Amino acid sequence: MVERLYLRDLVTFREVELEFDKGLVVLSGPSGAGKSVLISALLSSFGFTTQGAAALCELSVNKPPKLKSDAYMLEKELTLKALKKEKLRYFIDGQNISKKTLAELFKPYVRYLSVRDKSGFESETLIEMIDDSIKSREKHFKALLKEYKKRYAHYKSKAQELQKIKEDESRLAELIEFAAYEIEKIERIDPQPGEEEKLLKIKQQLSRVDKIRAALEKASGIFELESSIEEVYRLLEKEGDVFFDAMNQLRADFEETQILADELEETDVEEVLDRLSDLTALKNRYGSVEEALIYKEDKKAELSGYENIERDKSLLEQFLDLEYSELFTLAQKISLARQKEAKEIEKRLETYLEALKLPAMHFGFRGVALGETGIDEIEAGLGSSGTATLSGGEFNRLRLALMAVSIDEKSEGQGVLILDEIDANVSGDESIAIATLIAKLSSVYQIFAISHQPHLSAKADQHIVVTKEGMQSRVQVLDDAGRIEEISRIIAGENPTEQAVAFAKKLRA
C-alpha cells in the first residue's frame, strides 16, 4: 500500500503532498489538469517509466510481506525516492538502486492498466491465472504442479546433457586423438619437478670445468708448505689446531671438487642441452613443468570420460524415455484440471460480462510439446472472435472481469492497481458495471484510478480532485461536500443543475 506521495517540480505541479487511504482512490478533474501526470509520477517511482519524473518524487510504501532482496536492506515502511538533476536516480530506503532492479522488485505487486495496453492474455498469463484459481482450493493440484515443474526442470537438464553428448559425439574421434597425443607428448619427455633447475646448474658447471681443473692444480701447491708451517708452530711452541683443521677441510673440498670435475668430464653435454630444450618447450606451452603434469592428468580424465560416453548416452536415453512418459501423464492430469477450471471461470464470468455489455468468454486449449507449464497453450475468445480484435476499452473491461473472478477466494492484499481512464467513453450501464467491479477489486487491491464517470467517483474510499489555474496544477482531497460538488460537475459540467446535485447525492448514498 502507498501511504504518502511527495513531489516537487513536475510539469505544472510546483509541489504536491498527499496521504492515501486504503481501497479505491479516485482522481478526477477537468481534462488537461494533470491527472495522468500524477499517475505517471507514481509509475515512475516504481521504476516502470521515466515519463512523469519530477525533480523530486518520494513515496512511502508498506513493504509487501513476500518482498525480499539479498542486495538491499528493506524496512517494513519503505521509502522510494526518484531524484532528477543531470540524470534520474532512484533510491530505496536511502540505498541507490537502478530503475531496472526497482521495477523487477515491484513488478509482482504493482499492476498498471491503460487503454493503450493490451497485454495480459498471453498463454502463459492465462495458464498462471487458471493454476492460481485451482491452487486456492485444491492442495493436491498445488503438489501435482510442484512435482511436475521440479521433475521437468531435471528432465530438461538431462536432455541438454544428452544433446551435448551428441554434439561431442560427432567429433569424438578427433577429441580422443588429440587427448592421447597430448598425453603421449608429455609422458615421452617424462618431466620431473625441479629437474630443470638441476640441469641448469650442471650446464653452468660444464661451462667452467676447465677453469675448475686449472684452479685446483694451481691451488694444490699449498699442501707442499703444510709441513713447513707445522714446523714453525712446533718451534714457537704454539697450538696449530685451527690451521690443521682448515687444511684438512680444504683437502676434503679439493677432493670433492676433483670428483665433480671427473664426473663432468663424463657428462654428455648434448644430452643435457637436449633435455633442457624439451623441458623449455613444455614450459613455453604449459607455463611450468608442474602445470604440464596437471594438464596431463586432466587429459587422462577427459580421455576416460570419452571412453564412457557411449555408456552415459545409453543411460541418459533410457532415463529420458521413461521420464518423458511419466511427465506426459502428469501433464495430462494438469491439463484436465485446467480445462475443468476454465469452464468454471467461464460460468463465473457470465454475470460480469453481461453487465459490461460484453459477449461470453471462452478458453481455447491446444496441445503443444511438453514444456515448463505442461502440454497446454491457451487463448481467450470473446463471442465469435478473439481478444486481438477488441478495442482498448473492451480489452480492459475484460481484464477487470477476470481479475474480479480471480479474487473471489482471496482475502489477502494483492498490491497496488493503477487504472488510467479505465471507464472512458462508456455508456451509463457499462460505467456502473465497471465501478462495481473496481469497488470489488478494491477489497484486495489499493487502486488508483483516473475517472471521468460519476459512478466510480461515488464509490471511492478517497476522492482527489486535480485542477489547474493558468500554468499551475493543484490537488485537493475532498470531504463529503466537496465530493458531491465534484460528482455534480462530472455529471453536468461546470454549472451543475439541481438534478445533477440530487443524482450525485443519490450515488453517494
Side-chain angles (χ1 to χ4, degrees), residues 263-305:
E263 289 177 351
L264 289 173
E265 287 285 349
E266 297 174 2
T267 300
D268 188 333
V269 177
E270 292 299 323
E271 184 179 324
V272 171
L273 294 177
D274 288 344
R275 185 65 178 167
L276 278 171
S277 178
D278 287 342
L279 293 174
T280 301
L282 282 181
K283 186 177 178 181
N284 289 338
R285 179 171 175 80
Y286 304 109
S288 68
V289 168
E290 288 75 15
E291 287 174 299
L293 293 172
I294 292 171
Y295 179 78
K296 180 187 74 171
E297 295 305 315
D298 289 344
K299 282 297 172 186
K300 282 186 174 181
E302 187 178 310
L303 189 60
S304 176

Side-chain angles (χ1 to χ4, degrees), residues 348-492:
R348 298 203 299 270
L349 274 170
E350 287 177 0
T351 303
Y352 295 117
L353 296 177
E354 185 178 349
L356 291 167
K357 308 300 182 186
L358 292 173
M361 177 183 167
H362 59 273
F363 293 98
F365 281 75
R366 186 169 71 89
V368 293
L370 196 72
E372 291 182 9
T373 58
I375 54 173
D376 295 319
E377 185 174 87
I378 306 177
E379 57 184 17
L382 203 63
S384 59
S385 60
T387 56
T389 60
L390 297 178
S391 69
E394 291 172 326
F395 200 92
N396 278 322
R397 295 202 293 278
L398 179 56
R399 283 200 293 186
L400 285 177
L402 277 172
M403 290 176 70
V405 166
S406 69
I407 68 166
D408 282 344
E409 298 181 27
K410 295 178 180 178
S411 58
E412 71 276 10
Q414 298 298 299
V416 175
L417 179 60
I418 299 174
L419 308 174
D420 190 354
E421 300 193 32
I422 201 77
D423 57 358
N425 304 317
V426 296
S427 67
D429 288 344
E430 291 170 343
S431 175
I432 294 170
I434 290 171
T436 301
L437 274 181
I438 293 175
K440 179 181 177 69
L441 289 170
S442 70
S443 65
V444 293
Y445 287 94
Q446 182 188 32
I447 301 177
F448 295 90
I450 294 176
S451 179
H452 292 286
Q453 296 286 346
H455 304 93
L456 185 59
S457 299
K459 288 182 177 293
D461 297 293
Q462 183 179 34
H463 192 161
I464 298 170
V465 67
V466 183
T467 58
K468 187 177 181 183
E469 295 180 14
M471 295 301 295
Q472 187 170 341
S473 297
R474 292 184 173 85
V475 297
Q476 180 185 357
V477 178
L478 298 176
D479 57 16
D480 286 339
R483 295 186 67 168
I484 297 297
E485 182 180 339
E486 174 60 11
I487 294 169
S488 301
R489 184 200 64 77
I490 293 172
I491 296 168

